[in-house]
Amino acid sequence: MHYICPVCKTENTIDADFEISEYICKSCSNLIDISKNISAKVVKKPVESVVLEVGQKGTIDGTDYTVTGIIIRKYGSTVFWREYYLKDKKGQDAFLSESDGHWVFLHVINAMDVKKKLNDKVAEFHMKNYRWYETTQCTIHAAAGFFEDSLNFSIANYKEYVNGTQMISQERSGSNTEFFFGKHISKYKVKKAFNILSLPNYSGIGIVQPFYVNVTQAINILAVSALIICLIQLYVVGTRTNALVFEQEINFADVADKEMVSKSFELSGGSAPLNVEVSSNVDNSWANVGLGLVNEKNNEIVFASKDIEQYHGYEDGENWSEGSQRESFNFCGVAPGNYHFVISAERQEPLKTSQPAKYISPDGNLSISREENGTVSVTNQSTFETTSFGDAKMIKKDSVSTLGQLVHKILGKADIDSLLNANAQAESISATPENKSVKIKAEWLPVSFRNFVFVLLFLIALVLGLYFGRRAFERSKWFNSSNSPYTYS
């Protein structure tokens, strides 16, 4: 269809077949009455955030539509929303309403199918109740396109009823009242339907905007997941027992300043803790074991280090002790596969203390000792007479004194320094017992309940997050309503 504007002589065309009563000239914006072919008034062109054009075609839910008209409605002085009039090939009407980037797809419905309840606060449509959201007075701010009915520029009343992502909209203009059924439509669906490059960004929460996820579906999926996890945990725990996978005694001397690589061992089943027990014969001393668990598939290494300490004594009339000769720790969540250990170990080295070098004659009558300063003392064990000499040679030279004669009598020509040195080495003692080795034992434990509990708690937290998140979302959606089901502080 095409029409020549009587004002500016511009041709206005539309590829649609329906009876038109008015159109707005695309050039001069005059509202033309078809029956009289005269201008009724000049209408402002719709430009504020308008993304569709008159005559543009698109497909929604498998139905082809043509944009026949565009109306921008105004509430107050700053609130605007856009209505796009659509016609399908059968001449049926549909509408796209956009406000703050939120889109609603509407169809005309029979007023007789809508029943009002509770003083007009509830509207029933097809056995479903819709709660009154708000009543808005608005006017036509701008318009363009072709219209089947004459446009009414007086104040119109919109009364909206909402249930989730669906709504019933009642439009009353003058003596005419119409009802529309609407549902949320994604802006990305509109963009794809009409091949639009860009759309207005979201602002706030739309009146029928859905929550970001389908909560019922998500909870069902989480519940099934939790059930499957429980069954798997029950099976694994019921079929697994402790398994000894590694046991070896390591001499400290074998790993002094170096590492030892153990034999390979296999872990099979689900991921589970690997318990390691280390023990050493420490006594008032310590030892340390370093273990690197090597995954032979990818050469990843997990390191652990453990001290073994045991001390005891007597203090203030009481015996005390602390520490243990046995310690254990876990490599958590070890996956199945082939592994080996890289082992390092060290201990507290025995402290060597030397007693003064001392020699006692076989008959016990003579003792000779050498102090750290080199002085040599000679003692007659019978009379306890003691004489100190600067060194052993001076003793040999003394043949006059009673002790000197006793030394010559008992030792004769024996070398005194040699006798003292031999006894000094024999009397070197250790301050700590020598623990020569450390025992390492590793057991593959049943699957830990810790991760299982963490997963269940995570799923429960997700469910609670979805529940309270949707509730907060709905509270925000109804915040501007005069009939909100929520209370606000």
Side-chain angles (χ1 to χ4, degrees):
M1 294 185 292
H2 66 280
Y3 300 90
I4 303 297
C5 175
V7 178
C8 67
K9 307 307 179 184
T10 300
E11 183 178 21
N12 295 268
T13 61
I14 182 73
D15 184 15
D17 187 12
F18 65 99
E19 187 175 345
I20 297 173
S21 62
E22 292 180 338
Y23 72 91
I24 298 173
C25 178
K26 65 181 180 180
S27 177
C28 63
S29 297
N30 277 274
L31 175 63
I32 307 301
D33 184 338
I34 293 293
S35 61
K36 299 178 182 180
N37 197 30
I38 60 173
S39 171
K41 62 183 299 183
V42 176
V43 181
K44 185 176 181 179
K45 288 185 177 181
V47 293
E48 296 91 347
S49 301
V50 173
V51 295
L52 298 179
E53 299 178 355
V54 175
Q56 189 170 352
K57 297 181 180 296
T59 302
I60 300 176
D61 295 333
T63 302
D64 296 331
Y65 292 98
T66 301
V67 180
T68 59
I70 303 171
I71 290 181
I72 296 181
R73 295 194 180 270
K74 179 180 180 181
Y75 168 69
S77 59
T78 58
V79 179
F80 300 88
W81 71 89
R82 286 142 289 280
E83 294 179 353
Y84 299 92
Y85 285 49
L86 309 177
K87 283 279 187 181
D88 64 15
K89 292 182 178 180
K90 296 179 181 180
Q92 299 297 315
D93 293 315
F95 305 88
L96 277 172
S97 176
E98 179 269 316
S99 175
D100 295 328
H102 303 281
W103 293 79
V104 183
F105 187 47
L106 303 105
H107 290 87
V108 179
I109 57 176
N110 193 329
M112 299 298 294
D113 293 333
V114 180
K115 299 178 182 179
K116 299 292 187 66
K117 300 178 180 180
L118 302 176
N119 296 324
D120 282 355
K121 290 189 176 181
V122 174
E124 180 187 319
F125 177 66
H126 289 175
M127 305 299 291
K128 189 173 184 178
N129 289 329
Y130 295 78
R131 187 183 184 94
W132 171 54
Y133 185 89
E134 191 58 87
T135 300
T136 305
Q137 291 185 332
C138 62
T139 57
I140 295 177
H141 173 69
F146 301 81
F147 301 95
E148 196 170 7
D149 299 315
S150 298
L151 295 180
N152 190 336
F153 288 87
S154 62
I155 295 177
N157 286 290
Y158 275 56
K159 195 168 187 178
E160 295 157 329
Y161 299 83
V162 173
N163 186 325
T165 61
Q166 298 178 344
M167 66 181 295
I168 302 296
S169 179
Q170 174 187 312
E171 179 185 349
R172 181 174 293 168
S173 180
S175 60
N176 184 38
T177 299
E178 284 187 294
F179 286 87
F180 303 85
F181 170 76
K183 61 181 180 179
H184 168 82
I185 180 171
S186 165
K187 74 173 187 177
Y188 302 105
K189 188 173 182 179
V190 175
K191 184 177 182 179
K192 182 179 179 181
F194 291 92
N195 194 24
I196 307 171
L197 295 179
S198 63
L199 289 175
N201 293 324
Y202 291 130
S203 176
I205 298 177
I207 187 173
V208 289
Q209 179 183 346
F211 188 50
Y212 307 107
V213 297
N214 187 319
V215 174
T216 301
Q217 188 178 65
I219 290 177
N220 289 337
I221 292 173
L222 293 175
V224 172
S225 300
L227 178 61
I228 293 174
I229 291 170
C230 289
L231 292 175
I232 293 174
Q233 181 75 11
L234 181 63
Y235 170 77
V236 173
V237 171
T239 57
R240 281 282 301 277
T241 58
N242 289 16
L244 181 63
V245 296
F246 178 84
E247 186 172 22
Q248 188 173 348
E249 184 171 358
I250 308 296
N251 291 322
F252 289 110
D254 295 337
V255 290
D257 300 324
K258 61 182 179 180
E259 293 179 333
M260 174 184 290
V261 178
S262 74
K263 293 182 180 179
S264 178
F265 53 89
E266 182 180 2
L267 305 179
S268 59
S271 297
L274 180 64
N275 177 260
V276 179
E277 183 181 276
V278 291
S279 61
S280 183
N281 187 31
V282 292
D283 185 13
N284 277 329
S285 62
W286 59 265
N288 175 270
V289 179
L291 284 180
L293 179 63
V294 182
N295 187 327
E296 295 181 351
K297 181 179 180 180
N298 52 27
N299 288 325
E300 289 185 355
I301 306 177
V302 180
F303 289 99
S305 178
K306 195 68 176 179
D307 289 326
I308 311 168
E309 299 176 297
Q310 201 273 340
Y311 296 95
H312 58 85
Y314 183 82
E315 186 176 357
D316 296 332
E318 293 184 358
N319 290 311
W320 61 269
S321 65
E322 62 180 17
S324 174
Q325 294 182 340
R326 191 181 306 274
E327 300 288 347
S328 65
F329 58 93
N330 286 343
F331 288 99
C332 296
V334 181
N338 292 321
Y339 293 84
H340 66 260
F341 285 125
V342 176
I343 305 168
S344 62
E346 60 178 339
R347 64 173 181 176
Q348 179 179 343
E349 291 298 327
L351 299 177
K352 301 293 185 176
T353 61
S354 297
Q355 299 293 329
K358 188 174 183 180
Y359 171 78
I360 299 176
S361 63
D363 58 9
N365 292 328
L366 179 68
S367 67
I368 304 174
S369 61
R370 181 171 56 204
E371 304 299 331
E372 292 184 359
N373 60 8
T375 300
V376 179
S377 298
V378 180
T379 302
N380 185 334
Q381 293 297 109
S382 299
T383 63
F384 297 103
E385 178 187 356
T386 301
T387 300
S388 297
F389 299 87
D391 55 30
K393 293 180 180 180
M394 294 180 65
I395 299 175
K396 284 290 187 179
K397 294 178 181 179
D398 181 15
S399 59
V400 178
S401 68
T402 303
L403 280 176
Q405 294 177 0
L406 182 62
V407 170
H408 283 282
K409 178 181 178 181
I410 295 176
L411 298 183
K413 296 181 179 181
D415 184 55
I416 296 176
D417 282 327
S418 297
L419 294 174
L420 289 173
N421 290 338
N423 279 342
Q425 185 175 6
E427 292 179 359
S428 179
I429 63 171
S430 297
T432 58
E434 291 192 17
N435 50 313
K436 298 181 179 180
S437 63
V438 60
K439 295 180 181 178
I440 302 173
K441 183 170 70 172
E443 285 187 303
W444 183 233
L445 302 181
V447 174
S448 172
F449 274 92
R450 186 179 66 174
N451 292 338
F452 169 70
V453 172
F454 283 164
V455 171
L456 287 187
L457 291 177
F458 176 72
L459 294 179
I460 292 172
L462 278 181
V463 171
L464 293 176
L466 289 173
Y467 173 79
F468 288 107
R470 182 174 66 175
R471 185 175 177 83
F473 178 87
E474 292 295 328
R475 283 174 60 87
S476 299
K477 178 191 288 189
W478 284 87
F479 181 75
N480 294 319
S481 169
S482 300
N483 190 37
S484 173
Y486 303 98
T487 57
Y488 303 91
S489 58

